[in-house]
Amino acid sequence: MQPRRDDLFELAARAASGRFKKLGGPHAYSEEGSRGFRHSGVLLLFTPTAQAGPGLDLFLVQRSPLLRHHPGQIALPGGRLEPGEDAVAAAVRETHEETGIAPDQVEVAGPLPPVLVPISEFVVTPVLGWSDTAHAADEVTPGEVLHTLRVPVAELLDPAARATVQMGGFGSHGFRRPTGWVWGFTGNLLDHVFDQLGWTLPWDPGTVYRMGWDEARGADLLAEPGEA
């Protein structure tokens, strides 16, 4: 199925009416399991592909390898709620701060049900968004983000670029990119959302990529050119 804008709004409407299949496993949400957790929002922002022909792109960010939590990982833009914000506002604001994409360029389709990231004690609300004209800034304020990634959805869905990533006894859905794997929470969330959108192509979860600790923490991103 060719990914399209209308799919996002249809999925958001299903979520609003309680017809969205919730993410299970280690990220399954429960009030009891999330007691004391902080709240955040992440934005799944899609835009027409920059490549020739039909298709969509998705904006991701590569986190700084110097961060305490999830260093070096490829993730969705977003972050914790500030006082008076809801998850949608936080996701749009954080996306602006991390990528330079202005809020007036983002059309919010709607939020999905919350999920958990137990390792960092966050309740995360994914938000579906669309932009006809979004362009990430060439430079953003240094901090959490190393750089913005504009990724063709077709490349993420390519069965040859998919595997189960195993790290320290933990397994997650993975999507291979030139600067590393989309894995862990983000890999599991994207896998689930693509399934619910009806975009997933058949792939073999038995294909395993074993990730070492240095790679998981983005140590190679700290290397000077020629050192890798």
Side-chain angles (χ1 to χ4, degrees):
M1 179 179 180
Q2 178 66 48
R4 58 196 180 97
R5 173 187 182 277
D6 289 350
D7 297 336
L8 306 173
F9 288 84
E10 291 170 3
L11 186 61
R14 280 169 45 197
S17 65
R19 294 180 291 115
F20 181 88
K21 181 180 178 182
K22 296 180 180 180
L23 180 61
H27 307 297
Y29 174 79
S30 72
E31 289 190 15
E32 181 178 354
S34 62
R35 192 168 298 153
F37 281 23
R38 296 159 292 176
H39 288 257
S40 67
V42 296
L43 185 63
L44 290 87
L45 182 60
F46 295 88
T47 191
T49 186
Q51 297 185 340
L56 304 181
D57 291 345
L58 173 67
F59 286 98
L60 298 169
V61 294
Q62 186 123 29
R63 292 168 58 83
S64 168
L66 300 176
L67 293 175
R68 178 180 177 184
H69 294 296
H70 313 295
Q73 290 190 14
I74 299 174
L76 292 160
R80 71 177 63 185
L81 276 61
E82 292 187 349
E85 279 188 323
D86 61 13
V88 172
V92 173
R93 173 185 55 77
E94 287 278 349
T95 296
H96 183 210
E97 294 176 5
E98 294 180 354
T99 70
I101 298 172
D104 61 7
Q105 293 181 309
V106 178
E107 181 181 2
V108 173
L112 301 177
V115 293
L116 299 185
V117 185
I119 191 170
S120 51
E121 297 187 341
F122 267 104
V123 176
V124 180
T125 298
V127 178
L128 294 174
W130 172 262
S131 178
D132 287 314
T133 59
H135 294 284
D138 292 332
E139 294 185 9
V140 295
T141 303
E144 294 187 3
V145 172
L146 195 62
H147 47 242
T148 302
L149 305 173
R150 179 171 177 166
V151 182
V153 172
E155 294 184 8
L156 290 171
L157 297 175
D158 181 359
R162 302 207 55 185
T164 297
V165 175
Q166 290 189 350
M167 163 63 197
F170 172 77
S172 73
H173 298 295
F175 301 81
R176 188 178 65 247
R177 301 301 307 148
T179 59
W181 284 84
V182 184
W183 66 290
F185 165 71
T186 304
N188 287 337
L189 177 62
L190 287 182
D191 173 82
H192 185 67
V193 172
F194 288 152
D195 278 352
Q196 298 307 299
L197 286 165
W199 296 354
T200 301
L201 300 175
W203 65 286
D204 181 11
T207 300
V208 174
Y209 180 81
R210 302 187 188 281
M211 181 176 290
W213 181 246
D214 284 346
E215 182 180 1
R217 293 183 57 82
D220 58 323
L221 300 173
L222 292 171
E224 295 294 332
E227 291 184 357

